[in-house]
Amino acid sequence: MRQKLFGNQKVLVSALLLGVGFFFPQPAAAITPEDPRVMKSVQSALKFLENARDERLGGNCLIALCFKKAKIDDHPKIAQAVDLCHKINIKDENLVDNYSLGIALMFLCEIEPKQYHDTIVTYVEEVLRRQKPFGGWGYPSSPRGDTSQTQYAILGLWMAKNMAEVEVPVDRMEAACGWLMRTQDPSGAWGYQGLDPGSLNRVAQTQVTVTLAASGAGQLYMVADLLQVTQNTEVPAEKKSKALQDIEVPGKKKQES
C-alpha cells in the first residue's frame, strides 16, 4: 500500500530531489518525434487508451483525437466518438458541459471538417447560445464568467473558423474580447471566476494562477485573430541559441539556422 508523506517528510523529499538536481546536472537534449524513445512512449499510451473508458463526450473525443494524431484514422475509437457527437443531446448542459462541447467541436474540426461541416455548424450554434450576455462562458447557474470554460469555447470557435470555414459573428467575439480585457488582474494574469468591473479599470481577481494567465493570454491571441485586428507579417528567423543543437535526421535536409 502506498504511504502518504506528511509535514517534514515532504520537505525532506523535496530537498533531496533539489539537491540531486543541483549536484548532478544533466545536459539538455532534444529528440525528434521519430525518435524510438518517443515512439515507444506513444505506442504505450495508445495501448492504454484502447481500453480506456470515459462517460463524458469530451473524454471520448480526446481519446479518439490521440489516435487521429497518431495517423490511425481507421481506429474504432474515432468512429465511436464521431457517432457520439452526432447522437448526444448537446443542448443538455448537465450532460454536455462547456468543456466537452468545446473539445468535441475541436475534434470534429480536426478529423474531417468538410465531411462534418453541418455538425460543426450545429456545435458552433450551441457554443454561441451558451455565451453569457457579458461575453464570457461559465456555469449555467452562475452569473459570472469562467476563464477556463471560456477558453474551450473560444478555441472551438477559432478552429471552426480556420479549419471548417464556419463564420463566427464579429459582435460575439468583440463581447468575449471585452470580458477578457475587463477581467484581467492588475498583475496581468487572470483568475478562475472573472470579477467584471464593467470597465477597463482593472480590479483584483481571485484564484489567480500561472495556468490561467496562459489561458487568458492565449484566448486574447485567438480573439484578435478572429477579429482580424492583427496582420500577418514575414519576419526573419532568429538565429538559434548556442544551447540548442541540431539533430541529424536521415533523409531530411538540414535547415539553416
Side-chain angles (χ1 to χ4, degrees), residues 126-139:
E126 179 60 20
V127 171
L128 294 173
R129 186 188 71 81
R130 296 186 185 190
Q131 187 178 20
K132 293 183 180 292
F134 48 76
W137 281 259
Y139 294 102

Side-chain angles (χ1 to χ4, degrees), residues 88-138:
I88 200 166
N89 179 15
I90 61 174
K91 292 187 179 296
D92 185 345
E93 296 188 48
N94 293 317
L95 181 64
V96 182
D97 59 22
N98 288 331
Y99 297 104
S100 279
L101 187 66
I103 293 170
L105 179 54
M106 290 179 251
F107 167 68
L108 292 170
C109 289
E110 279 274 3
I111 56 169
E112 192 54 67
K114 291 184 178 179
Q115 182 178 348
Y116 302 120
H117 184 271
D118 291 347
T119 305
I120 291 171
V121 170
T122 300
Y123 272 72
V124 167
E125 290 174 347
E126 179 60 20
V127 171
L128 294 173
R129 186 188 71 81
R130 296 186 185 190
Q131 187 178 20
K132 293 183 180 292
F134 48 76
W137 281 259

